[in-house]
Amino acid sequence: MRHTPTGGAGSAGTTSSDSKPMSIGTVLNTLREEFPEVTISKIRFLEAEGLVEPKRTPSGYRKFTAADVERLASVLRMQRDHYLPLKVIRDHLEALERGERMPLPAPAAPSRDLVEGVSDLDDERPTAARIGRAELLTAADVDEAALADWESYGLIVAHEDGGYDIEAVAVAKLVAELGRFGLEARHLRAVKAAAEREAGLVEQVVAPLRRHRNPQTRAYAEATARELATLSVRLHAALVQSALRVRLP
């Protein structure tokens, strides 16, 4: 079993003096003293991601120790206060377990990327949050006709001032790559529609948190949006793979 990490993420007395193993419901009530928006699904998600490893009873029920609860609290603090992705948090905790001192970065603004790995699609994309049309054409290495075609099908959308979100570069490059296999913009409308529906589901969950008065709760909303978006993308990929196995056994 993992040991409770110390340092880096702070501590606010989230563990109980009772050393008896706790059910997931008891853990939820304990964590909610500091993290009022945490849910059982969130705890299960962190377990699935390898951030905590509770023991299981012979009948399959989770049993958490005080160390497990403090570890969960550390993860939640690092997400809330430092906007760190789970991979960085996992590396940090593992370093602490090895006895290494690994200071956390100072609290900063959250990343624009809500899906882990989006930044890795293009290491040379512009760093500004918004770009102009000419800059988009250059960064994506596409011509005006191609861009106009993609816009006509809603794959890329300009703001009222004519500028584009930086994600448009990655979208343009991926659409161009798919075009090499004969997939045109009209073929990708279903993909765009599915993405809009998935984004809508994420928004339904986090919208109440974003309207909360507590700034920490609003920050938690961003971390939740990233997790939901990443899970949605993973589910989409798994469903595509499953469908392909049926069609291409």
Side-chain angles (χ1 to χ4, degrees):
M1 185 182 69
R2 300 173 192 263
H3 298 290
T4 303
T6 57
S11 177
T14 57
T15 58
S16 170
S17 59
D18 189 351
S19 60
K20 294 181 180 179
M22 291 171 274
S23 67
I24 193 169
T26 301
V27 172
L28 177 67
N29 291 333
T30 302
L31 290 173
R32 276 185 169 169
E33 295 178 10
E34 182 179 354
F35 309 98
E37 306 301 334
V38 72
T39 63
I40 286 180
S41 295
K42 170 77 171 184
I43 297 172
R44 288 172 176 165
F45 171 75
L46 294 177
E47 178 189 357
E49 292 295 311
L51 274 303
V52 66
E53 296 176 356
K55 292 183 178 179
R56 296 271 187 160
T57 66
S59 55
Y61 290 102
R62 297 172 177 82
K63 289 298 180 181
F64 295 80
T65 65
D68 292 330
V69 178
E70 183 55 40
R71 185 181 180 90
L72 285 169
S74 296
V75 172
L76 294 171
R77 290 190 198 100
M78 283 186 273
Q79 284 190 308
R80 181 192 65 194
D81 301 338
H82 299 269
Y83 306 104
L84 297 178
L86 292 182
K87 181 180 184 303
V88 174
I89 292 175
R90 187 183 299 108
D91 292 343
H92 176 81
L93 294 178
E94 290 176 352
L96 291 177
E97 289 174 350
R98 294 193 299 268
E100 301 174 7
R101 299 300 300 174
M102 187 176 180
L104 288 170
S111 167
R112 280 183 53 83
D113 289 342
L114 293 179
V115 180
E116 292 184 15
V118 170
S119 296
D120 300 333
L121 292 174
D122 184 9
D123 294 334
E124 299 180 357
R125 69 177 182 174
T127 57
R130 294 275 287 276
I131 59 174
R133 190 176 188 84
E135 191 175 7
L136 173 59
L137 291 170
T138 299
D141 192 23
V142 297
D143 58 31
E144 179 67 40
L147 179 56
D149 183 43
W150 300 341
E151 287 180 313
S152 70
Y153 286 99
L155 298 175
I156 293 178
V157 179
H159 289 273
E160 292 182 359
D161 61 3
Y164 299 85
D165 287 332
I166 194 60
E167 288 81 9
V169 176
V171 171
K173 288 191 172 185
L174 290 169
V175 172
E177 285 294 313
L178 289 168
R180 295 194 302 107
F181 295 90
L183 291 175
E184 301 176 5
R186 59 189 176 89
H187 299 134
L188 302 176
R189 286 181 296 180
V191 178
K192 169 71 172 178
E196 293 288 350
R197 287 193 294 270
E198 290 172 19
L201 291 174
V202 174
E203 179 60 23
Q204 286 180 21
V205 175
V206 302
L209 303 179
R210 284 176 169 167
R211 293 193 295 265
H212 204 280
R213 297 178 181 177
N214 189 331
Q216 291 185 339
T217 300
R218 293 197 298 270
Y220 176 77
E222 298 304 314
T224 301
R226 281 195 292 274
E227 290 177 10
L228 289 173
T230 299
L231 286 172
S232 178
V233 170
R234 290 180 183 174
L235 174 61
H236 181 86
L239 290 172
V240 170
Q241 178 169 289
S242 177
L244 287 175
R245 289 193 185 280
V246 172
R247 292 168 171 77
L248 302 172

PDB file of all heavy atoms in Angstrom, residues 96-118:
ATOM      1  N   LEU A  96       7.857  11.854  -3.884  1.00  0.00           N
ATOM      2  CA  LEU A  96       7.814  12.006  -2.434  1.00  0.00           C
ATOM      3  C   LEU A  96       7.940  10.657  -1.732  1.00  0.00           C
ATOM      4  O   LEU A  96       8.605  10.537  -0.701  1.00  0.00           O
ATOM      5  CB  LEU A  96       6.510  12.689  -2.021  1.00  0.00           C
ATOM      6  CG  LEU A  96       6.353  14.166  -2.403  1.00  0.00           C
ATOM      7  CD1 LEU A  96       4.983  14.674  -1.978  1.00  0.00           C
ATOM      8  CD2 LEU A  96       7.456  15.014  -1.778  1.00  0.00           C
ATOM      9  N   GLU A  97       7.326   9.633  -2.308  1.00  0.00           N
ATOM     10  CA  GLU A  97       7.413   8.298  -1.715  1.00  0.00           C
ATOM     11  C   GLU A  97       8.841   7.764  -1.763  1.00  0.00           C
ATOM     12  O   GLU A  97       9.247   6.974  -0.902  1.00  0.00           O
ATOM     13  CB  GLU A  97       6.476   7.346  -2.448  1.00  0.00           C
ATOM     14  CG  GLU A  97       4.999   7.614  -2.162  1.00  0.00           C
ATOM     15  CD  GLU A  97       4.082   6.749  -3.001  1.00  0.00           C
ATOM     16  OE1 GLU A  97       4.579   6.094  -3.930  1.00  0.00           O
ATOM     17  OE2 GLU A  97       2.866   6.733  -2.717  1.00  0.00           O
ATOM     18  N   ARG A  98       9.597   8.195  -2.770  1.00  0.00           N
ATOM     19  CA  ARG A  98      11.004   7.772  -2.878  1.00  0.00           C
ATOM     20  C   ARG A  98      11.908   8.612  -1.980  1.00  0.00           C
ATOM     21  O   ARG A  98      13.119   8.395  -1.948  1.00  0.00           O
ATOM     22  CB  ARG A  98      11.478   7.892  -4.327  1.00  0.00           C
ATOM     23  CG  ARG A  98      10.787   6.939  -5.294  1.00  0.00           C
ATOM     24  CD  ARG A  98      11.515   6.903  -6.622  1.00  0.00           C
ATOM     25  NE  ARG A  98      11.531   8.205  -7.262  1.00  0.00           N
ATOM     26  CZ  ARG A  98      10.612   8.640  -8.138  1.00  0.00           C
ATOM     27  NH1 ARG A  98       9.581   7.840  -8.448  1.00  0.00           N
ATOM     28  NH2 ARG A  98      10.700   9.828  -8.691  1.00  0.00           N
ATOM     29  N   GLY A  99      11.326   9.572  -1.277  1.00  0.00           N
ATOM     30  CA  GLY A  99      12.114  10.419  -0.398  1.00  0.00           C
ATOM     31  C   GLY A  99      12.726  11.618  -1.087  1.00  0.00           C
ATOM     32  O   GLY A  99      13.573  12.302  -0.503  1.00  0.00           O
ATOM     33  N   GLU A 100      12.317  11.898  -2.310  1.00  0.00           N
ATOM     34  CA  GLU A 100      12.863  13.029  -3.055  1.00  0.00           C
ATOM     35  C   GLU A 100      12.061  14.287  -2.742  1.00  0.00           C
ATOM     36  O   GLU A 100      10.846  14.241  -2.576  1.00  0.00           O
ATOM     37  CB  GLU A 100      12.819  12.748  -4.559  1.00  0.00           C
ATOM     38  CG  GLU A 100      13.588  11.513  -4.968  1.00  0.00           C
ATOM     39  CD  GLU A 100      13.412  11.185  -6.446  1.00  0.00           C
ATOM     40  OE1 GLU A 100      12.801  12.013  -7.153  1.00  0.00           O
ATOM     41  OE2 GLU A 100      13.869  10.112  -6.867  1.00  0.00           O
ATOM     42  N   ARG A 101      12.757  15.406  -2.679  1.00  0.00           N
ATOM     43  CA  ARG A 101      12.088  16.680  -2.480  1.00  0.00           C
ATOM     44  C   ARG A 101      11.732  17.252  -3.838  1.00  0.00           C
ATOM     45  O   ARG A 101      12.580  17.483  -4.686  1.00  0.00           O
ATOM     46  CB  ARG A 101      12.996  17.660  -1.732  1.00  0.00           C
ATOM     47  CG  ARG A 101      13.390  17.190  -0.348  1.00  0.00           C
ATOM     48  CD  ARG A 101      12.190  16.990   0.549  1.00  0.00           C
ATOM     49  NE  ARG A 101      11.417  18.217   0.736  1.00  0.00           N
ATOM     50  CZ  ARG A 101      10.273  18.286   1.368  1.00  0.00           C
ATOM     51  NH1 ARG A 101       9.719  17.169   1.864  1.00  0.00           N
ATOM     52  NH2 ARG A 101       9.639  19.433   1.499  1.00  0.00           N
ATOM     53  N   MET A 102      10.466  17.453  -4.078  1.00  0.00           N
ATOM     54  CA  MET A 102      10.002  17.904  -5.383  1.00  0.00           C
ATOM     55  C   MET A 102       8.989  19.020  -5.172  1.00  0.00           C
ATOM     56  O   MET A 102       7.799  18.778  -5.025  1.00  0.00           O
ATOM     57  CB  MET A 102       9.368  16.737  -6.161  1.00  0.00           C
ATOM     58  CG  MET A 102       8.999  17.067  -7.587  1.00  0.00           C
ATOM     59  SD  MET A 102       8.367  15.589  -8.418  1.00  0.00           S
ATOM     60  CE  MET A 102       8.014  16.274 -10.038  1.00  0.00           C
ATOM     61  N   PRO A 103       9.457  20.283  -5.126  1.00  0.00           N
ATOM     62  CA  PRO A 103       8.529  21.396  -4.858  1.00  0.00           C
ATOM     63  C   PRO A 103       7.518  21.559  -5.978  1.00  0.00           C
ATOM     64  O   PRO A 103       7.809  21.336  -7.156  1.00  0.00           O
ATOM     65  CB  PRO A 103       9.456  22.612  -4.770  1.00  0.00           C
ATOM     66  CG  PRO A 103      10.670  22.228  -5.560  1.00  0.00           C
ATOM     67  CD  PRO A 103      10.833  20.752  -5.345  1.00  0.00           C
ATOM     68  N   LEU A 104       6.317  21.934  -5.587  1.00  0.00           N
ATOM     69  CA  LEU A 104       5.269  22.195  -6.557  1.00  0.00           C
ATOM     70  C   LEU A 104       5.431  23.589  -7.141  1.00  0.00           C
ATOM     71  O   LEU A 104       5.948  24.487  -6.490  1.00  0.00           O
ATOM     72  CB  LEU A 104       3.889  22.088  -5.902  1.00  0.00           C
ATOM     73  CG  LEU A 104       3.412  20.688  -5.540  1.00  0.00           C
ATOM     74  CD1 LEU A 104       2.162  20.791  -4.676  1.00  0.00           C
ATOM     75  CD2 LEU A 104       3.137  19.879  -6.778  1.00  0.00           C
ATOM     76  N   PRO A 105       4.990  23.786  -8.373  1.00  0.00           N
ATOM     77  CA  PRO A 105       5.028  25.128  -8.937  1.00  0.00           C
ATOM     78  C   PRO A 105       4.063  26.045  -8.205  1.00  0.00           C
ATOM     79  O   PRO A 105       3.100  25.591  -7.589  1.00  0.00           O
ATOM     80  CB  PRO A 105       4.598  24.910 -10.404  1.00  0.00           C
ATOM     81  CG  PRO A 105       3.781  23.664 -10.357  1.00  0.00           C
ATOM     82  CD  PRO A 105       4.429  22.799  -9.311  1.00  0.00           C
ATOM     83  N   ALA A 106       4.329  27.343  -8.266  1.00  0.00           N
ATOM     84  CA  ALA A 106       3.428  28.304  -7.647  1.00  0.00           C
ATOM     85  C   ALA A 106       2.073  28.242  -8.336  1.00  0.00           C
ATOM     86  O   ALA A 106       1.990  27.906  -9.520  1.00  0.00           O
ATOM     87  CB  ALA A 106       4.014  29.709  -7.762  1.00  0.00           C
ATOM     88  N   PRO A 107       1.000  28.532  -7.616  1.00  0.00           N
ATOM     89  CA  PRO A 107      -0.329  28.536  -8.245  1.00  0.00           C
ATOM     90  C   PRO A 107      -0.344  29.419  -9.480  1.00  0.00           C
ATOM     91  O   PRO A 107       0.194  30.517  -9.492  1.00  0.00           O
ATOM     92  CB  PRO A 107      -1.234  29.097  -7.145  1.00  0.00           C
ATOM     93  CG  PRO A 107      -0.537  28.736  -5.880  1.00  0.00           C
ATOM     94  CD  PRO A 107       0.933  28.850  -6.191  1.00  0.00           C
ATOM     95  N   ALA A 108      -0.932  28.914 -10.537  1.00  0.00           N
ATOM     96  CA  ALA A 108      -0.943  29.637 -11.809  1.00  0.00           C
ATOM     97  C   ALA A 108      -2.292  29.489 -12.459  1.00  0.00           C
ATOM     98  O   ALA A 108      -3.149  28.729 -12.008  1.00  0.00           O
ATOM     99  CB  ALA A 108       0.158  29.082 -12.734  1.00  0.00           C
ATOM    100  N   ALA A 109      -2.476  30.223 -13.533  1.00  0.00           N
ATOM    101  CA  ALA A 109      -3.729  30.118 -14.276  1.00  0.00           C
ATOM    102  C   ALA A 109      -3.832  28.741 -14.908  1.00  0.00           C
ATOM    103  O   ALA A 109      -2.825  28.146 -15.295  1.00  0.00           O
ATOM    104  CB  ALA A 109      -3.785  31.190 -15.359  1.00  0.00           C
ATOM    105  N   PRO A 110      -5.026  28.184 -15.002  1.00  0.00           N
ATOM    106  CA  PRO A 110      -5.182  26.854 -15.592  1.00  0.00           C
ATOM    107  C   PRO A 110      -4.838  26.843 -17.064  1.00  0.00           C
ATOM    108  O   PRO A 110      -4.937  27.854 -17.756  1.00  0.00           O
ATOM    109  CB  PRO A 110      -6.675  26.554 -15.383  1.00  0.00           C
ATOM    110  CG  PRO A 110      -7.313  27.897 -15.264  1.00  0.00           C
ATOM    111  CD  PRO A 110      -6.301  28.768 -14.599  1.00  0.00           C
ATOM    112  N   SER A 111      -4.417  25.673 -17.535  1.00  0.00           N
ATOM    113  CA  SER A 111      -4.120  25.518 -18.955  1.00  0.00           C
ATOM    114  C   SER A 111      -5.382  25.703 -19.783  1.00  0.00           C
ATOM    115  O   SER A 111      -6.481  25.385 -19.353  1.00  0.00           O
ATOM    116  CB  SER A 111      -3.537  24.120 -19.193  1.00  0.00           C
ATOM    117  OG  SER A 111      -3.504  23.819 -20.565  1.00  0.00           O
ATOM    118  N   ARG A 112      -5.230  26.211 -21.005  1.00  0.00           N
ATOM    119  CA  ARG A 112      -6.365  26.335 -21.913  1.00  0.00           C
ATOM    120  C   ARG A 112      -6.834  24.967 -22.380  1.00  0.00           C
ATOM    121  O   ARG A 112      -7.988  24.801 -22.759  1.00  0.00           O
ATOM    122  CB  ARG A 112      -5.969  27.191 -23.132  1.00  0.00           C
ATOM    123  CG  ARG A 112      -5.987  28.679 -22.867  1.00  0.00           C
ATOM    124  CD  ARG A 112      -5.654  29.428 -24.138  1.00  0.00           C
ATOM    125  NE  ARG A 112      -6.499  29.034 -25.252  1.00  0.00           N
ATOM    126  CZ  ARG A 112      -7.714  29.518 -25.482  1.00  0.00           C
ATOM    127  NH1 ARG A 112      -8.242  30.383 -24.649  1.00  0.00           N
ATOM    128  NH2 ARG A 112      -8.410  29.124 -26.534  1.00  0.00           N
ATOM    129  N   ASP A 113      -5.932  24.004 -22.392  1.00  0.00           N
ATOM    130  CA  ASP A 113      -6.300  22.674 -22.880  1.00  0.00           C
ATOM    131  C   ASP A 113      -7.148  21.947 -21.845  1.00  0.00           C
ATOM    132  O   ASP A 113      -6.713  21.706 -20.726  1.00  0.00           O
ATOM    133  CB  ASP A 113      -5.050  21.845 -23.189  1.00  0.00           C
ATOM    134  CG  ASP A 113      -4.326  22.337 -24.426  1.00  0.00           C
ATOM    135  OD1 ASP A 113      -4.951  23.055 -25.213  1.00  0.00           O
ATOM    136  OD2 ASP A 113      -3.139  22.015 -24.588  1.00  0.00           O
ATOM    137  N   LEU A 114      -8.367  21.587 -22.212  1.00  0.00           N
ATOM    138  CA  LEU A 114      -9.239  20.848 -21.320  1.00  0.00           C
ATOM    139  C   LEU A 114      -9.097  19.347 -21.524  1.00  0.00           C
ATOM    140  O   LEU A 114      -9.544  18.564 -20.689  1.00  0.00           O
ATOM    141  CB  LEU A 114     -10.700  21.267 -21.538  1.00  0.00           C
ATOM    142  CG  LEU A 114     -11.022  22.707 -21.122  1.00  0.00           C
ATOM    143  CD1 LEU A 114     -12.487  23.013 -21.400  1.00  0.00           C
ATOM    144  CD2 LEU A 114     -10.719  22.924 -19.652  1.00  0.00           C
ATOM    145  N   VAL A 115      -8.511  18.931 -22.618  1.00  0.00           N
ATOM    146  CA  VAL A 115      -8.259  17.517 -22.882  1.00  0.00           C
ATOM    147  C   VAL A 115      -6.765  17.283 -22.849  1.00  0.00           C
ATOM    148  O   VAL A 115      -6.010  17.939 -23.575  1.00  0.00           O
ATOM    149  CB  VAL A 115      -8.829  17.086 -24.248  1.00  0.00           C
ATOM    150  CG1 VAL A 115      -8.560  15.607 -24.484  1.00  0.00           C
ATOM    151  CG2 VAL A 115     -10.317  17.372 -24.323  1.00  0.00           C
ATOM    152  N   GLU A 116      -6.319  16.382 -21.990  1.00  0.00           N
ATOM    153  CA  GLU A 116      -4.890  16.101 -21.883  1.00  0.00           C
ATOM    154  C   GLU A 116      -4.343  15.611 -23.213  1.00  0.00           C
ATOM    155  O   GLU A 116      -4.919  14.750 -23.864  1.00  0.00           O
ATOM    156  CB  GLU A 116      -4.647  15.054 -20.793  1.00  0.00           C
ATOM    157  CG  GLU A 116      -4.948  15.553 -19.386  1.00  0.00           C
ATOM    158  CD  GLU A 116      -4.595  14.521 -18.334  1.00  0.00           C
ATOM    159  OE1 GLU A 116      -3.874  13.559 -18.677  1.00  0.00           O
ATOM    160  OE2 GLU A 116      -5.029  14.671 -17.188  1.00  0.00           O
ATOM    161  N   GLY A 117      -3.185  16.169 -23.605  1.00  0.00           N
ATOM    162  CA  GLY A 117      -2.530  15.732 -24.827  1.00  0.00           C
ATOM    163  C   GLY A 117      -2.796  16.602 -26.025  1.00  0.00           C
ATOM    164  O   GLY A 117      -2.140  16.439 -27.053  1.00  0.00           O
ATOM    165  N   VAL A 118      -3.726  17.562 -25.934  1.00  0.00           N
ATOM    166  CA  VAL A 118      -4.019  18.405 -27.089  1.00  0.00           C
ATOM    167  C   VAL A 118      -2.794  19.241 -27.472  1.00  0.00           C
ATOM    168  O   VAL A 118      -2.476  19.399 -28.640  1.00  0.00           O
ATOM    169  CB  VAL A 118      -5.227  19.330 -26.802  1.00  0.00           C
ATOM    170  CG1 VAL A 118      -5.384  20.378 -27.888  1.00  0.00           C
ATOM    171  CG2 VAL A 118      -6.492  18.496 -26.718  1.00  0.00           C
TER     172      VAL A 118
END
